[in-house]
Amino acid sequence: MKIIKTKNYEEMSRKAANIFFAQVVAKPDSVLGLATGSSVLGLYENLIKHYKNGDVDFSDIKTINLDEYAGLGKESDQSYRYYMDNNLFNHVNVKKENTNLPNGLAKDMKVECKRYNDIIENFGGADIQLLGLGLNGHIGFNEPSDVFPKETHLVDLEESTIKANSRFFENEKDVPRQAVTMGIQNIMQAKQIVLCVCGKQKAKILKAVLFGDVTPNVPGSILQLHNNLIVAADEDALSEI
Ligand code: GLP
């Protein structure tokens, strides 16, 4: 594990973006595993800057996102498809048909989970996977549980996750109660993982994730077993370590 300690969010975003930038330059047909949330927004802004400067080409890039809310489609400004289109895809030359997210509006979620899992399997996992960290230690939407779910699955969101994510919604009751998420095996299949964490409120859980027991009660703790993990985190998030 490699830890990049930064002064603040801006520095974290820049440094983590540089890792993705280098990946795309070195392997222009990479499979990028992408994430949503506020921790990774600055990274996308930096990638867009590199693109606008003419320094990086996404035309052969393929993407697979971690997760999507059940019940939300691309028209909903809270869906992860909307987030990705508006915060990255619409601003670079990635081909939309090469971007993959679970379909939150699928009629049969079992079929949808299998479809998405097959996409990941066919790629052989991501070349590089971006992750944020939930306050309860979740990665993607793999919530604390008794087991590590392996494949893409439908998950009931924890009350704490619903509360944490309600800041993006008008009303807490608008937050979907379920989501489709990559499983732990799908995530761990990535050749490299970049975990972005910032803020004091994540300090305790980040310590548990990186140095506590490896347990499905802290889903992110599985990352300790990955042999190419980079953690980009600010001083506040690393303050317990
Ligand atoms: C959501 C996403 C996660 C993300 C987490 C942290 O729950 N499903 O993939 O890591 O939020 O978000 P933030 O970076 O906004 O704290």
Side-chain angles (χ1 to χ4, degrees), residues 85 87 90 116 134 137 177 190 203 211:
D85 284 350
N87 293 309
N90 290 347
Y116 202 69
R177 269 40 191 173
F211 298 105

Side-chain angles (χ1 to χ4, degrees), residues 36-39 66-67 80 132-134 138 140-141 165 167-168 202:
T36 54
S38 44
S39 310
L66 284 169
D67 46 17
Y80 287 167
L133 183 66
H138 74 213
F141 267 133
N165 289 5
R167 69 189 193 276
F168 300 113
K202 299 251 176 96

Side-chain angles (χ1 to χ4, degrees), residues 7-241:
K7 283 191 298 294
N8 53 34
Y9 179 79
E10 285 68 33
E11 188 189 348
M12 177 193 78
S13 302
R14 235 178 25 250
K15 292 193 165 161
N18 283 346
I19 301 168
F20 276 74
F21 172 63
Q23 172 73 35
V24 177
V25 170
K27 189 176 180 229
D29 61 347
S30 292
V31 177
L32 306 183
L34 299 177
T36 54
S38 44
S39 310
V40 295
L41 206 50
L43 180 153
Y44 294 143
E45 284 166 8
N46 278 283
L47 280 186
I48 293 167
K49 268 189 217 151
H50 287 304
Y51 171 71
K52 294 210 160 133
N53 287 339
D55 291 333
V56 66
D57 175 16
F58 290 87
S59 59
D60 287 328
I61 288 294
K62 291 168 260 319
T63 70
I64 42 178
N65 258 81
L66 284 169
D67 46 17
E68 178 61 283
Y69 286 118
L72 300 189
K74 65 172 191 280
E75 266 77 48
S76 160
D77 59 4
Q78 295 307 332
S79 73
Y80 287 167
R81 166 51 81 179
Y82 184 98
Y83 172 108
M84 290 309 304
D85 284 350
N86 286 280
N87 293 309
L88 182 65
F89 300 153
N90 290 347
H91 306 286
V92 297
N93 66 336
V94 68
K95 296 191 183 90
K96 272 287 168 76
E97 65 268 27
N98 287 341
T99 66
N100 297 283
L101 279 94
N103 175 8
L105 296 179
K107 283 208 179 70
D108 186 334
M109 282 302 180
K110 240 192 164 145
V111 174
E112 177 55 15
C113 289
K114 165 133 186 28
R115 180 193 74 85
Y116 202 69
N117 202 72
D118 286 349
I119 292 175
I120 302 164
E121 287 293 317
N122 289 337
F123 283 143
D127 286 299
I128 185 167
Q129 176 68 55
L130 178 61
L131 293 177
L133 183 66
L135 282 172
N136 59 4
H138 74 213
I139 49 175
F141 267 133
N142 290 280
E143 298 282 43
S145 132
D146 296 337
V147 291
F148 287 112
K150 290 190 202 137
E151 302 196 315
T152 304
H153 59 286
L154 185 67
V155 64
D156 292 330
L157 301 180
E158 277 208 343
E159 247 348 281
S160 66
T161 299
I162 292 168
K163 232 188 181 59
N165 289 5
S166 69
R167 69 189 193 276
F168 300 113
F169 291 76
E170 227 162 81
N171 209 304
E172 194 176 314
K173 70 171 178 14
D174 299 334
V175 186
R177 269 40 191 173
Q178 289 187 311
V180 176
T181 181
M182 275 191 199
I184 294 294
Q185 181 176 289
N186 299 140
I187 294 172
M188 291 292 281
Q189 236 180 321
K191 296 183 183 70
Q192 185 175 23
I193 294 182
V194 177
L195 174 69
C196 289
V197 190
C198 60
K200 264 242 148 43
Q201 79 282 9
K202 299 251 176 96
K204 272 212 167 71
I205 193 66
L206 183 59
K207 184 181 183 191
V209 162
L210 300 183
F211 298 105
D213 291 341
V214 175
T215 161
N217 287 318
V218 182
S221 63
I222 194 79
L223 298 174
Q224 292 178 39
L225 305 185
H226 197 280
N227 59 19
N228 199 355
L229 170 68
I230 297 182
V231 182
D234 69 358
E235 284 171 359
D236 283 347
L238 290 166
S239 57
E240 296 275 334
I241 294 168

